[in-house]
Amino acid sequence: MLNRAKFLFATLSLVLWLDAGTSLAQQPPQQSSKHEQAQQKSQDPWWKHAVIYEIYPRSFQDSNGDGVGDINGITSRLDYIHDLGIDAIWISPMYPSPLIDFGYDISDYTAIDPLYGTLADFDHLVSEAKKRNIRVIMDFVPNHTSDQHPWFKESRSSRSNPKRDWYIWRDGNAMGQPPNNWQSWFGHSAWKLDPATNQYYYHHFYTEQPDLNWRNPQVRKAMYDAMRFWLKRGVAGFRIDAVSRLFEDPNLHDDPILPGKNAYGDPNIAHKYTDNLPEVHEVLREMRKVVNAYPGNPVMISEADEPNIAELAKKVQLPMDFQIADVNKLSAPDFRRLLNEIDRNAVGGQPHYFFSNHDQPRQWDRYGDGVHNDQIAKLMAALLLATRATPLMYYGEELGMRTTEPARKEDVQDPIGKIGWPEEKGRDGERTPMQWDASRNAGFSASQHPWLPVPPSASIYNVVAEAQNPKSILAFYKRLLALRRNEPALRDGRYLPLNQEDTNVLSFLRKEPGRGEAILVVLNMSAEPRTIKFDLSAHGVKGGSANPLLAAPEIGAESTQLNHFSVPAFGVFIGSVD
Ligand code: NOJ
């Protein structure tokens, strides 16, 4: 499982794409007056203070008993999302699709798949969400369409079709083999021979997902029009899928071969000529213009593949390094190094962190040690929600939902699990139904056969049970989200790392510039209790102890003396200091 996360999505990351005008460089200087700060805050776009929650629509709530989640199901759960403390939901694709990649293979960009409902249902969702101050972010998939999209059907029909150049078509090489050695992220050659015209088309992902040709201005126009369609319906922005893959080397250079083989048995390669080409940034700028023409500060969240923070900052002027999602072990030094890099990068911007999503094994088991997983789930929640960032949660992480992989190949739904079995079991494990209660199918669906089985853990880890238990993971998330909302220092304050030599405990201050208010965050990433000493005088803190706001497990006042601070194994402490 970890192998897969590392191999397949290790370099996939999410970044908030910012206007140059909203970069950290333009935040108030440290000593700015209260008035200046208030002004700055009122100019801040909403997404800078928001918590975003990803919903995988197939798995959230089924309203019509067909075993698959749908839009009306999501609408029926908006009160839960609101009470949790979420500001915006990003919904994975719900467009018409043959569902080879469960919606990431789109056959119509301006409609809703009947499986999920209708456009009227979608409009209703947006308006009901708005009543609760929840924004709706669409998933947008520009790199490829489905092979069932009418554009591709036309394109493949003849070499002279007007839409031929909307996709990437090439002759085979002199040996009658694919044009070069480029590989799909989902295994084997990225080229597929289409007998109708005896040419190959390029697909970065599944063969049923042909890549669009973004060098063609008609493609750009059609895709920007699709974005406008949703913006007019009131969406608050887009999460843009696989954005770094938009362009390929027009000269078709072979990718460099690396040692070893991947889970699909192919030679490892560096995706040098199909990833991160500079033209991507031109497209992002154009998309930004499209989005900026609409009111309400729509956001663009991009899934990007950036090798390191310097590259990220250079190309997209952001301070983010989403390698943080892939640290994959509880390591205070590793997290500290990445948090520091992000915070200190010269270009500025707003970090956007996440640990789980529909492509990553869930954090409960990925970071859990097999013994203290529930406590570690709280620790990870604090790492996500108490650092300086716009956090992104994945449905069910607030319950401690775990990765539940299929036991047998014949149960696998995600095609990569079929191609790569048993080494690669696919992504079904992190897409199982939301666990609402202890009833059959965990309250997800009335069907006898939900599209994925409900994990056995649902009998204990579910919304109803956890809402009644003040020590549950859900109760912790709710308190933490409320704290983040109510404490400006925690939500917007600067990030000041502390005790940087400590190999076990990650500690930092969140401090509002120009104001005394500071919040101390202490995260013990080790299995032993730790006693540490803080000297916060350089940060203007005069008091000798911290006043607890949230701690798990709870600790007594004697533990919060700054010169003798005790934190239990995997303990979390958040408290105010002055
Ligand atoms: C990234 C998406 O997150 C993933 O689920 C999908 O399979 C690929 N893009 C291809 O669209």
Side-chain angles (χ1 to χ4, degrees), residues 400-459:
M401 274 179 67
R402 59 197 66 181
T403 318
T404 310
E405 289 180 328
R408 305 173 311 166
K409 187 176 178 184
E410 51 271 38
D411 298 333
V412 174
Q413 298 278 344
D414 182 14
I416 58 171
K418 292 182 180 145
I419 304 171
W421 189 273
E423 197 174 331
E424 167 56 69
K425 293 193 166 127
R427 296 163 289 179
D428 296 352
E430 53 264 33
R431 298 174 176 180
T432 56
M434 175 70 174
Q435 300 170 185
W436 295 106
D437 57 41
S439 70
R440 195 167 62 92
N441 295 335
F444 160 69
S445 170
S447 161
Q448 296 287 342
H449 303 289
W451 82 283
L452 283 176
V454 172
S457 64
S459 59

Side-chain angles (χ1 to χ4, degrees), residues 386 483 487-491 494 496 498 508-512 516-521 549 573-577:
L483 195 61
E487 293 288 342
L490 195 59
R491 197 185 53 219
R494 296 174 62 214
L496 301 166
L498 301 172
F508 51 91
L509 274 187
R510 300 294 312 281
K511 194 164 191 288
E512 277 208 288
E517 207 165 293
I519 294 201
L520 173 67
V521 180
L549 297 167
F573 176 88
I574 302 177
S576 59
V577 284

